[in-house]
């Protein structure tokens, strides 16, 4: 019993995390998002650097994006976030308040290349690259089908972009492999202790 549990633990520890499915240039967002943040929820001055102003809705931005009203782009209306005024050319991470099984957003740019990464605890579990244009309504990007707590946008061309309608899916309730491993280790130690006690009782009864 002990060896079975320890073997299972080793298998869980060595097994890679499940990969997420990608949502690349989709015309639709999540089917049933729990929350959609369109950045009209909090009134800010144009040009405000946004970091934690939407934390109460489950989203923070690292390092920051600029609060900017926009019109004229498909699925991008009203208040949005952009990487200009001030300019942010490096990676930007959308951090979620808890681990999710699905999240995504609308995005427009000038046809430039971007990479998108789903992260859990700072570790990349899935990624993809895509050109992002400004005229197509198929401009929803994200991940689904696994546990992650952040999406990183890597601006491969140092171009300008806007994001809007950040959709947050179901909050994850499934333990990660490391959690399962700790649980199995605990069961293994309990099983070993019980087996040791049985041997001690047996030795005494036949003394």
């Amino acid at each position: 019993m002990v060896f079975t549990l320890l073997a299972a633990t080793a298998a869980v520890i060595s097994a890679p995390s499940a990969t997420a499915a990608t949502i690349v240039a989709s015309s639709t967002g999540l089917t049933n998002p729990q929350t959609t943040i369109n950045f009209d929820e909090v009134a800010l001055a144009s040009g405000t650097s946004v970091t934690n102003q939407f934390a109460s809705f489950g989203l923070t931005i690292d390092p920051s994006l600029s609060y900017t009203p926009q019109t004229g782009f498909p699925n991008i209306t009203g208040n949005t976030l952009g990487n200009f005024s001030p300019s942010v050319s490096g990676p930007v991470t959308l951090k979620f308040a808890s681990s999710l099984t699905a999240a995504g957003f609308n995005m427009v740019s000038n046809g430039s290349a971007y990479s998108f990464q789903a992260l859990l605890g700072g570790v990349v579990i899935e990624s993809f690259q895509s050109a992002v244009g400004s005229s197509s309504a198929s401009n929803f990007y994200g991940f689904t089908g696994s546990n992650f707590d952040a999406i990183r946008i890597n601006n491969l061309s140092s171009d300008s972009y806007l994001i809007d309608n950040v959709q947050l899916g179901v909050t994850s309730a499934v333990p990660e492999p490391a959690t399962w491993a700790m649980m199995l280790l605990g069961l293994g130690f309990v099983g070993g202790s019980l087996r040791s006690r049985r041997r001690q009782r047996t030795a005494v009864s036949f003394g």
Side-chain angles (χ1 to χ4, degrees), residues 1-14 184-185 188:
M1 179 67 174
V2 177
F3 292 108
T4 301
L5 286 168
L6 292 177
T9 300
V12 171
I13 293 174
S14 62
L184 288 171
L185 277 172

Side-chain angles (χ1 to χ4, degrees), residues 122-143:
V123 177
V124 176
I125 63 168
E126 186 59 272
S127 64
F128 66 90
Q129 290 190 18
S130 178
V132 178
S134 61
S135 59
S136 173
S138 297
N139 59 4
F140 190 85
Y141 302 86
F143 299 89

Side-chain angles (χ1 to χ4, degrees), residues 46-50 64-68 80-86 88 162:
S46 179
T48 298
S49 292
V50 175
S64 70
L65 288 173
S66 180
Y67 189 79
T68 174
T80 69
L81 299 186
N83 69 327
F84 48 88
S85 299
V88 179
L162 297 167

